[in-house]
Amino acid sequence: QVQLVESGGGLVQAGGSLRLSCAAAGRIVSIHLMGWYRQAPGKQRELVATITSSGTTNYADSVKGHFTISRDNAKNTVYLQMNSLKPEDTAVYYCNANIHSGSNYVNYWGQGTQVTVSS
């Protein structure tokens, strides 16, 4: 059994910063792609950023330049540093990871963490 445990969400004023963390735990052979998605009220879940095991990153246009994704492969953890936050960044943020536990890669989701940016 594999779990993704997220932390770091909260309430922040516009212009502020938050850092999200997501640690994968359980039977893990390897992790390929890790990433963050978000879902605002009344909207579909959308990609925020992804990072491969070798460090190649991909960002949604809306967060380029003010969010940074990183990972620590030794700790099976992915981070999202969010700077210059705007009210439109308010959403539930979900961690995602493609994890190999011995047979094949399976896609896992975290439980979500709320980020609220006040104006």
Side-chain angles (χ1 to χ4, degrees), residues 60-96:
D61 288 343
S62 58
V63 306
K64 283 181 181 176
H66 72 115
F67 285 13
T68 302
I69 189 170
S70 61
R71 66 190 276 177
D72 185 331
N73 290 330
K75 296 181 179 179
N76 293 327
T77 299
V78 63
Y79 306 95
L80 186 68
Q81 178 67 43
M82 304 185 292
N83 298 328
S84 303
L85 282 160
K86 309 170 187 176
E88 50 264 42
D89 293 318
T90 295
V92 177
Y93 284 70
Y94 296 92
C95 174
N96 177 267

Side-chain angles (χ1 to χ4, degrees), residues 9 21 32 42 57 93 95:
S21 299
H32 174 47
T57 58
Y93 284 70
C95 174

